Amino acid sequence: QVQLVQSGAEVKKPGASVKVSCKASGYTFTSYYMHWVRQAPGQGLEWMGVINPSGGSATYAQKFQGRVTMTRDTSTSTVYMDLSSLRSEDTAVYYCARGGIAVAGNQDYWGQGTLVTVSS
Amino acid sequence: EIVLTQSPGTLSLSPGERATLSCRASQSVISSYLAWYQQKPGQAPRLLIYGATSRATGIPDRFSGSGSGTDFTLTISRLEPEDFAVYYCQQYGSSLTFGPGTKVDIK
C-alpha cells in the first residue's frame, strides 16, 4: 500500500532553515510527482511546489521562490523540502502529497504532516 | 494565478440532508483539472473528486462533482455523520491553487 512518512516536528528560530523529509513506499518512487502543501494554524491549504523524482526538477509557487528547495534521493525513495529565512508566519503543518504520473496533477496520497514552529 | 472562490463559507445541515458546495474560478480551468478534498480536524486532506467529475478510489457514490470552465459543484446527496468536515476545491491546470474552503457543520 502507498505510504508517505514524514519526519518529526521541528522548532526553529526566526532566520533559520528547516528541512522536512518524506519517505515514500508501496509504489515506483520515480514514476509520480511529489507536491508540498502547508497549512498554518486554523487556515486553509497553500501549495508550495512540486518535484519530479525522476529527473529531480522542481517547480515552486511564486510566493516561495528563492526560499524553498525541493530535492530527492532515489536510493531511499525520499523527497526533501528545505525552507530558509524562516519567520513566524511560516509556522504551519507541512504535508507531502503524491501527484500524477505524466503531469503534476492532483494529490491522491498524503503524508501525516510535519509541524514546524518558528519562534524566538 | 487562478483564484478560486468557494461558497458558502459555512454550511449548516442535518444528517440525511443534501449538501451543495460551489467553487468558482477567476478564469477557465484547463481541461477541467479541478479536484475536491475533504479535511477533518487533525488529519491530512483526502482526495474526493478529480477531473471535476471522477470519484477517487474508495469514495462513496453519495459524493459527486460537476461543472466546467469557471463554475464547479460538489454535491453530497445524503450527509452521513462522518461527512461533517471542511471541503477544499483545487485547480491543477495552471500551476496549482486551492480555494479557501467550505465548512460543513451539524445544524
Side-chain angles (χ1 to χ4, degrees):
Chain A
Q1 73 284 19
V2 174
Q3 279 195 304
L4 302 176
V5 179
Q6 298 184 221
S7 50
E10 303 263 13
V11 179
K12 295 291 182 181
K13 293 194 182 303
S17 296
V18 68
K19 191 168 188 174
V20 180
S21 67
C22 170
K23 183 174 176 59
S25 61
Y27 69 98
T28 303
F29 174 70
T30 52
S31 293
Y32 292 80
Y33 285 69
M34 192 75 80
H35 297 261
W36 288 91
V37 175
R38 76 177 187 179
Q39 186 170 38
Q43 302 302 308
L45 302 169
E46 182 173 35
W47 181 71
M48 299 181 69
V50 62
I51 183 169
N52 181 347
S54 179
S57 61
T59 301
Y60 306 127
Q62 190 168 6
K63 175 177 178 176
F64 299 100
Q65 294 264 6
R67 269 210 313 147
V68 70
T69 304
M70 297 175 187
T71 57
R72 94 296 190 217
D73 181 342
T74 56
S75 68
T76 60
S77 299
T78 302
V79 295
Y80 300 91
M81 188 282 299
D82 198 318
L83 187 63
S84 63
S85 303
L86 290 169
R87 34 215 189 222
S88 58
E89 310 89 88
D90 294 318
T91 293
V93 175
Y94 290 76
Y95 294 102
C96 61
R98 194 180 78 162
I101 294 180
V103 295
N106 55 66
Q107 299 85 59
D108 58 356
Y109 289 92
W110 293 65
Q112 82 276 19
T114 296
L115 176 62
V116 175
T117 303
V118 182
S119 173
S120 55
Chain B
E1 174 181 293
I2 296 179
V3 177
L4 299 178
T5 303
Q6 292 187 241
S7 61
T10 302
L11 194 53
S12 297
L13 295 168
S14 301
E17 289 194 294
R18 181 185 188 90
T20 303
L21 287 66
S22 174
C23 177
R24 180 162 291 177
S26 60
Q27 53 190 282
S28 187
V29 176
I30 295 170
S31 301
S32 292
Y33 283 160
L34 192 287
W36 290 92
Y37 297 84
Q38 175 193 69
Q39 188 179 33
K40 297 178 182 178
Q43 296 184 16
R46 173 193 182 197
L47 177 66
L48 299 175
I49 301 287
Y50 64 93
T53 61
S54 299
R55 269 188 301 277
T57 303
I59 301 303
D61 61 7
R62 63 180 181 273
F63 291 92
S64 63
S66 63
S68 64
T70 60
D71 288 297
F72 299 88
T73 300
L74 174 70
T75 301
I76 311 171
S77 59
R78 293 174 313 279
L79 281 165
E80 296 288 339
E82 61 268 27
D83 298 336
F84 292 93
V86 179
Y87 292 83
Y88 295 94
C89 60
Q90 174 202 68
Q91 70 78 26
Y92 51 98
S94 174
S95 188
L96 195 154
T97 49
F98 286 95
T102 290
K103 182 178 182 180
V104 179
D105 66 13
I106 300 176
K107 188 175 182 180

